[in-house]
Amino acid sequence: MRIPRSVRDADVADRTVLVRSDLNVPLANGEVADDTRIKASLPTLQLLLDRGVQTVHVCSHLGRPKSDEDRAKYAMAPVERRLRELLPDERLQVLENTRFDPGETANDEGFSRELAAGCDLYVNDAFGSAHRAHASTVGVARLLPAYAGLLLLEELEHLGKLLGEVERPFVLISGGAKVDDKLGVLRNLGGRADTVLVGGKMAEQLRAENPLGFEIELPEDVVGAAAFEEDAESGVYPFAGLPDGWLGLDIGPKTRGRFARAIDEARTIFWNGPMGVFEWPRFAEGTKAVAQAVAANERAFSVVGGADSVRALNELGLGDEVSWVSTGGGASLELLEGKELPGVAAIPAAVESPA
């Protein structure tokens, strides 16, 4: 895999640096509800400050603003407040939400020049947006000397391990609502795995029709509900014995045990997607069992990606128990599909040291 040149190799002393961070965090009541991504951006910012940078312009998108009401909702002010609490340095300047300008998603050269104005070089540390060819991820990299931030490099390193020779057994766990979103990863990565465990609604889709060309392990029992409601009548049923009109909202206890045993035997693990409607406690046991099994396997190299899987892991306090928790979402999936990420491709490659 192509590795971009590192911010560690950039001469930043007394210079103004534009950093594209991933500060797209959830908000609640006008404040940051989860600062995981803000904390993940700190090492690169701290490195620049420690190396004597004059000023750091930090830019990021936040949400998907479309209306004037959204502009008030997705202003960067609460994110800036939290960043300054974690890293109080007057040399940091947080720019307004890049998506407030339509030139961002259009990769408009004029907006790219606005972002780059007054800056000497550019650092992309937003792996979660590296699959988007936007002004702040690609456009500015064509105008300024461009480097990869520490988080972006770590993401490439850890996810890249899954694409190379891995220790076996290699177990891939996939879940969520739509198989279409993950079909590319299942084809590219699942074909290399020894075992592919599938839960969530996508298990129903793949049971009806499996386009993958290899065997997958599907739930044998499910927690069914009479309606898609948190307090609906529910019970455990064999998959084929679910009452007419009922919905499978979680994997059942037999499947949890089978999946956990396969995960325990693994030496390489990739998990993306919940096993059911984990936001509702009555249908969260399957996702919880998978999270606990992945975290308990200390012998395996384990990677967890996808917002729901990461949320479930963190809510259980298990985020530190796996090898790597990806901030990438869609970027992680596209990389593992084998696609080139525009935000990475826009940065010159690292120069290998002579042998």
Side-chain angles (χ1 to χ4, degrees):
M1 180 178 17
R2 178 184 176 279
I3 301 300
R5 65 183 180 183
S6 171
V7 63
R8 295 187 183 92
D9 300 323
D11 180 7
V12 301
D14 299 320
R15 294 187 172 189
T16 297
V17 181
L18 174 66
V19 178
R20 177 48 159 104
S21 297
D22 185 2
L23 306 180
N24 183 31
V25 298
L27 303 175
N29 301 316
E31 296 298 331
V32 173
D34 182 347
D35 63 4
T36 301
R37 287 180 172 175
I38 299 177
K39 289 179 176 177
S41 74
L42 297 182
T44 292
L45 299 177
Q46 187 65 66
L47 174 73
L48 293 170
L49 296 170
D50 290 345
R51 293 192 173 181
V53 71
Q54 183 180 72
T55 308
V56 179
H57 294 179
V58 185
C59 70
S60 175
H61 79 281
L62 181 61
R64 296 182 176 180
K66 296 180 180 179
S67 64
D68 289 341
E69 183 179 338
D70 286 342
R71 290 177 71 88
K73 179 180 178 181
Y74 292 118
M76 293 296 292
V79 177
E80 180 177 5
R81 283 195 295 272
R82 182 56 181 147
L83 177 60
R84 291 194 179 281
E85 289 173 357
L86 295 168
L87 194 56
D89 194 299
E90 293 182 356
R91 289 174 291 170
L92 290 178
Q93 295 183 5
V94 180
L95 307 184
E96 190 48 273
N97 188 339
T98 57
R99 288 192 180 172
F100 281 4
D101 192 307
E104 163 70 335
T105 55
N107 193 15
D108 177 71
E109 183 177 350
F111 183 56
S112 299
R113 291 191 179 281
E114 286 184 33
L115 291 172
C119 297
D120 299 301
L121 51 89
Y122 165 72
V123 176
N124 189 349
D125 203 32
F127 178 75
S129 297
H131 61 315
R132 306 295 189 195
H134 290 174
S136 67
T137 58
V138 171
V140 291
R142 295 171 178 159
L143 301 173
L144 298 169
Y147 297 83
L150 303 180
L151 175 62
L152 189 147
L153 289 168
E154 279 199 282
E155 289 276 11
L156 294 177
E157 175 189 351
H158 288 91
L159 292 169
K161 289 179 181 179
L162 299 175
L163 295 170
E165 291 298 319
V166 299
E167 189 174 354
R168 296 185 179 278
F170 177 15
V171 174
L172 187 153
I173 313 143
S174 190
K178 293 182 179 180
V179 67
D180 292 347
D181 295 345
K182 296 165 186 173
L183 198 57
V185 171
L186 285 171
R187 282 181 172 141
N188 191 49
L189 208 60
R192 301 177 60 248
D194 298 288
T195 303
V196 178
L197 310 174
V198 181
K201 186 172 178 58
M202 66 184 300
E204 298 178 21
Q205 294 175 268
L206 290 176
R207 192 187 299 272
E209 181 181 2
N210 180 1
L212 298 174
F214 53 83
E215 291 187 6
I216 55 177
E217 294 199 20
L218 298 168
E220 59 191 287
D221 59 342
V222 297
V223 180
F228 190 75
E229 298 171 359
E230 188 172 2
D231 58 353
E233 179 186 356
S234 65
V236 176
Y237 298 89
F239 180 86
L242 199 62
D244 288 343
W246 280 46
L247 305 169
L249 299 187
D250 193 12
I251 58 174
K254 290 183 179 178
T255 303
R256 290 174 218 153
R258 180 162 55 89
F259 281 16
R261 287 190 291 274
I263 293 167
D264 180 63
E265 294 172 359
R267 291 299 174 268
T268 303
I269 301 168
F270 176 61
W271 173 33
N272 183 290
M275 298 293 101
V277 188
F278 77 101
E279 299 90 342
W280 296 341
R282 296 172 64 213
F283 307 106
E285 289 303 312
T287 301
K288 180 179 178 181
V290 166
Q292 290 174 331
V294 173
N297 189 337
E298 298 179 355
R299 297 163 295 178
F301 172 69
S302 52
V303 177
V304 178
D308 288 337
S309 303
V310 172
R311 173 183 166 186
L313 196 71
N314 288 336
E315 286 181 352
L316 292 167
L318 299 174
D320 292 335
E321 303 301 316
V322 300
S323 305
W324 184 248
V325 177
S326 178
T327 62
S332 299
L333 293 179
E334 291 199 16
L335 182 71
L336 294 175
E337 283 181 40
K339 293 181 178 179
E340 184 176 59
L341 305 183
V344 176
I347 305 170
V351 177
E352 296 184 4
S353 300

